[in-house]
Amino acid sequence: MPNELNKLKEKILKKGNLPGHIAIIMDGNGRWARRRGLPRTAGHKAGVTAVKRIVRAAGDMGISVLTLFTFSQENWKRPKNEVSAIMKLLYETTKREINELDRNNVKLMTTGRTEELSPRRRQILQEAIERTKNNTGLILNLALNYGGRTEILDAVKKIAGDVKRGKLDPAQLTEESFSDYLYTNTLPDPDLLIRTSGEMRISNFLLWQTSYTELYVTDVLWPNFSVRDFYRAIQDYQSRERRFGRL
Ligand code: FPP
């Protein structure tokens, strides 16, 4: 790692108050490719390279959870060949990187309706999750076939079921116990949400969980997002004053 980057990292660590959970909307793969006259799928491939460097940087810095918006429910509406290219990249990368992830004490998990993914391929993810389940380092959470509203609806359906079975008294429901019904029930809410590629939208990502999350939007396209860009986002977060509605 270049010396200057190392110094920046030390500065961040010295300051303390790191974001425990960072979520990222990795946008701009298509634009990156178009600017180079390449097919969109080449952009996603370059996106995987960025994923690898940011996962490494997050683990290295001692971040607890990194959630990546990998595939949204809405992404199914893209052309079939693009959907299958993203899926192929995901499974191939998981297979290829699982040894390194495991060696680095990364725990893999997914968030979303993964039961709707192809069973043969889901198996690959399941094996990786199983293999890393006792790891104690970075939690790498891939949001897959994820939609924020659907997640809330799924929670409401489970709650209704528990009420019907007499397991839950609706009057006792709190924000905290509601969170237990979300896909992310084992995770803290994100402290920082990074969106690349400039758009000022949440795009149906972690709607419930981001109520008090600090937002950071950069114009950098995801395939170009560097460790330095990642550090900048964290530094920006460190300079914020989080009040959670208080004075
Ligand atoms: C957004 O760019 C990106 C996606 C919808 C896919 C992200 C997926 C990956 C980077 C591969 C996943 C792999 C792993 C290992 C997590 P866009 O296509 O919306 O870009 P655009 O807005 O410029 O068109």
Side-chain angles (χ1 to χ4, degrees), residues 26-31 40 44 47-48 70 75 78 93 142:
M26 310 181 286
D27 199 10
N29 294 348
R31 272 162 281 180
R40 294 178 56 80
H44 297 312
V48 172
T70 306
N75 284 155
R78 293 188 176 203
T93 309
L142 301 180

Side-chain angles (χ1 to χ4, degrees), residues 24-36 38-54 89 195-198 218-227 229:
I24 307 184
I25 300 177
M26 310 181 286
D27 199 10
N29 294 348
R31 272 162 281 180
W32 182 92
R34 198 174 60 226
R35 283 179 199 176
R36 285 170 171 69
L38 296 170
R40 294 178 56 80
T41 49
H44 297 312
K45 205 168 162 202
V48 172
T49 309
V51 166
K52 286 196 270 185
R53 67 174 166 260
I54 299 308
L89 271 176
R195 180 168 188 146
T196 58
S197 210
T218 168
D219 284 334
V220 176
L221 305 175
W222 176 250
N224 291 333
F225 192 72
S226 65
V227 174
D229 294 321

